Amino acid sequence: MLDLVGDIVSKVPRGLALIASLSEGGKKGVVFTMPQFEHLGFANWGLAILNDSELIQYRDAVNISNKEVRRWAQEYDLAVVDLEALYKAIHRKEYVLQNGLLIDSSMRGNFFSSDGLYPTTLGQVIIANEVLKSINEKYGADVPLIDIPLYASKIGLNLKTGQ
């Protein structure tokens, strides 16, 4: 992840320098936006770890970061995986797999692990598919998505709970 908070404080665009360096010669790549705090599992679960002032600072930093990531992606012709939109859709219970499974960010849900921060195995596969969708859309590729029901059956994952 880019050191965008450092960029904001120092005004030194270290993240942009990294993207520019990695994109030299027309190299392709993928960048990610950051989710908002209230869309993380532990925030959904009512665990108050930020006060109002800190929450405002977090939101502002994420908004600035995501705006810059999108701008840089456009400037350097990179694919964007919009984790902000993905986590928001999951938080709002609007993300449903093709087989009808609702992806749930609640404490007993199937997207977040027990720490409320990191995705479960199912959550990681969902993010991997979002990366593939982004690559396919941006670069006209045809990389097949992960067949989540097949993957789940291979690792013994119960798709009713995602665990």
Side-chain angles (χ1 to χ4, degrees), residues 65-149:
S65 168
N66 288 346
K67 181 179 175 185
E68 289 300 295
V69 165
R70 288 180 181 102
R71 183 175 68 80
W72 296 343
Q74 186 172 9
E75 183 177 340
Y76 289 93
D77 197 30
L78 302 171
V80 177
V81 177
D82 194 350
L83 291 182
E84 180 179 29
L86 174 66
Y87 278 55
K88 183 178 184 179
I90 292 169
H91 171 76
R92 291 182 170 180
K93 300 187 183 315
E94 297 170 348
Y95 196 94
V96 180
L97 297 179
Q98 298 89 332
N99 67 350
L101 176 69
L102 174 69
I103 303 305
D104 183 359
S105 64
S106 70
M107 185 176 280
R108 297 190 184 268
N110 53 19
F111 186 75
F112 288 106
S113 63
S114 61
D115 66 4
L117 180 60
Y118 296 101
T120 60
T121 303
L122 177 62
Q124 292 174 28
V125 172
I126 289 166
I127 293 170
N129 272 349
E130 293 300 316
V131 172
L132 295 173
K133 288 176 191 176
S134 178
I135 290 169
N136 288 343
E137 181 180 321
K138 178 67 180 176
Y139 301 119
D142 193 22
V143 180
L145 300 182
I146 299 166
D147 180 329
I148 293 177

Side-chain angles (χ1 to χ4, degrees), residues 52-70:
D52 289 344
S53 174
E54 292 168 330
L55 186 56
I56 289 169
Q57 290 175 8
Y58 182 95
R59 282 186 189 139
D60 288 346
V62 168
N63 288 337
I64 292 167
S65 168
N66 288 346
K67 181 179 175 185
E68 289 300 295
V69 165
R70 288 180 181 102

Side-chain angles (χ1 to χ4, degrees), residues 2 12 31 35 42 45 89 102 120 129 135 143 145 153 160:
L2 300 174
V12 175
V31 293
F42 58 77
W45 306 343
L102 174 69
T120 60
N129 272 349
I135 290 169
V143 180
L145 300 182
S153 72
K160 292 188 189 285

